Amino acid sequence: MNRFLNKAIFALALLLVGTSMAHARDQVKISGSSTVFPFSSYVAEELGATTKFPAPVVESTGSGGGHKLFGAGMGVGTPDIANSSRRMKVSEFENAAKNGVTDITEAKIGFDGIAVAQNADNEAMSISLEELATAVAADIMVDGKLVPNPYKMWNEINPQLPARKIVFYGPPTSSGTRDAFEEMVVEKIFGKKEGYEKGYHAIRQDNAYVPAGENDNLIVQKLAKDKDAFGIFGYSFLEENADSIQGAAINGVTPNPESVASGQYPISRSLFFYVKNAHYDAIPGLKEYVELFMSEKMIGKDGLLKSIGLIPLPEAERATARENVLAKKKLTLDDLKK
């Protein structure tokens, strides 16, 4: 009996400490996706400029890093919001619940494409999704055997492609963009092919794919110097840097707002943020930040975030997303398994 009583007392103590610590902070704290970072930062600056609340602190840690921090508990050192360029994973939800983060609302804010971009001075490049997957996958089937990817040049994959070195600067494993790219490119092509494990999605680890950190602007800078290279990042960074880089066409479709929103561009995904509902009463400005982010002013058809690359949701879907967030609809495990 004493053992169970002690556990209960310890759990209550943690809750009380977390709550009191949360009250000690007067600034919203946000961590997560580098893709969502510019949108979240824009809203944070707008909140600071137009209200009595200080601008929230927004950190770019990658989606995986953001969820890890967000789900670590309820104390003052943990974020109030996790930005994510893919949906929260079941494992992340379960880890958060284990640490006392049990009342979470999911906010879907819009669409984004994953651009495969190169130096603007290069000739335009058009590749199939299978050619792209073949260039980046860790293993390739050769003569009936799965071997480490042998391809060094694009024309080795398809003689119609240029005699150009295969090199990508892309996101690290902590990135939601990396997760989405693996799923929508490598797993889609090889995850069901004979000879590969079901769900195969491994990216090569040689010099053909170079993890370039969570700062997508650094990848853009690398493309200015290395004309052989392609960069992998959110569409918003392609749009912001259209004077220096260009997107490759995938399956004949170039990335643009229309092709991404329609799903015609094959590497398209939704963007999210996640809120700790228990922090609304404890953190000044959290409610106002969330309301501003979900407003038509920000994510609407002609919202301010569209000007920096966010692709808005259709009107009805946008209205439903806003209603769910403002009502603090609780995310469930079943929701994530759908």
Side-chain angles (χ1 to χ4, degrees), residues 198-217:
K198 183 180 179 182
Y200 178 90
H201 60 266
I203 297 285
R204 60 197 299 179
Q205 297 183 42
D206 58 9
N207 291 331
Y209 185 95
V210 182
E214 293 291 356
N215 188 339
D216 292 339
N217 286 310

Side-chain angles (χ1 to χ4, degrees), residues 27-75:
Q27 201 168 14
V28 176
K29 185 173 182 178
I30 305 164
S31 294
S33 165
S34 62
T35 301
V36 180
F37 175 80
F39 308 130
S40 184
S41 296
Y42 191 106
V43 179
E45 291 171 9
E46 184 73 5
L47 183 78
T50 61
T51 72
K52 64 181 181 180
F53 301 104
V57 175
V58 187
E59 297 177 317
S60 177
T61 61
S63 297
H67 283 295
K68 185 176 181 179
L69 293 168
F70 179 82
M74 297 294 291

Side-chain angles (χ1 to χ4, degrees), residues 168-173 178 209-220 222 230-233:
F168 294 92
Y169 293 107
T173 54
R178 168 75 171 255
Y209 185 95
V210 182
E214 293 291 356
N215 188 339
D216 292 339
N217 286 310
L218 293 179
I219 299 180
V220 173
K222 289 179 183 295
F230 284 92
I232 299 170
F233 40 66

Side-chain angles (χ1 to χ4, degrees), residues 39-113:
F39 308 130
S40 184
S41 296
Y42 191 106
V43 179
E45 291 171 9
E46 184 73 5
L47 183 78
T50 61
T51 72
K52 64 181 181 180
F53 301 104
V57 175
V58 187
E59 297 177 317
S60 177
T61 61
S63 297
H67 283 295
K68 185 176 181 179
L69 293 168
F70 179 82
M74 297 294 291
V76 71
T78 64
D80 311 304
I81 290 175
N83 291 331
S84 191
S85 57
R86 43 92 175 151
R87 207 169 193 199
M88 177 183 271
K89 296 178 180 179
V90 168
S91 60
E92 292 165 339
F93 181 90
E94 291 174 337
N95 182 65
K98 181 182 71 176
N99 292 324
V101 186
T102 57
D103 189 4
I104 300 168
T105 289
E106 177 182 78
K108 188 175 180 180
I109 62 169
F111 299 114
D112 183 47

Side-chain angles (χ1 to χ4, degrees), residues 137-255:
D139 303 292
I140 297 296
M141 192 67 67
V142 178
D143 297 329
K145 294 183 179 180
L146 206 59
V147 300
N149 196 324
Y151 297 119
K152 305 296 183 185
M153 306 288 289
W154 282 99
N155 63 340
E156 293 172 357
I157 295 174
N158 180 348
Q160 303 300 314
L161 294 175
R164 174 174 161 185
K165 184 179 178 182
I166 295 173
V167 57
F168 294 92
Y169 293 107
T173 54
S174 60
S175 169
T177 298
R178 168 75 171 255
D179 290 339
F181 184 82
E182 289 177 356
E183 178 184 343
M184 292 190 288
V185 178
V186 181
E187 184 175 343
K188 186 169 185 178
I189 296 300
F190 296 118
K192 295 181 180 179
K193 277 199 174 184
E194 187 177 349
Y196 289 85
E197 291 182 5
K198 183 180 179 182
Y200 178 90
H201 60 266
I203 297 285
R204 60 197 299 179
Q205 297 183 42
D206 58 9
N207 291 331
Y209 185 95
V210 182
E214 293 291 356
N215 188 339
D216 292 339
N217 286 310
L218 293 179
I219 299 180
V220 173
Q221 292 169 22
K222 289 179 183 295
L223 299 183
K225 300 175 181 178
D226 187 349
K227 290 192 174 183
D228 279 336
F230 284 92
I232 299 170
F233 40 66
Y235 170 76
S236 62
F237 286 89
L238 173 62
E239 186 167 270
E240 286 179 16
N241 297 278
D243 58 332
S244 61
I245 58 175
Q246 58 173 307
I250 310 295
N251 287 352
V253 181
T254 55

Side-chain angles (χ1 to χ4, degrees), residues 248-284:
I250 310 295
N251 287 352
V253 181
T254 55
N256 58 53
E258 292 73 27
S259 66
V260 170
S262 68
Q264 187 180 9
Y265 180 69
I267 324 178
S268 303
R269 44 126 179 227
S270 301
L271 301 179
F272 304 87
F273 67 83
Y274 293 83
V275 190
K276 287 177 180 170
N277 291 324
H279 278 202
Y280 272 113
D281 292 333
I283 307 299

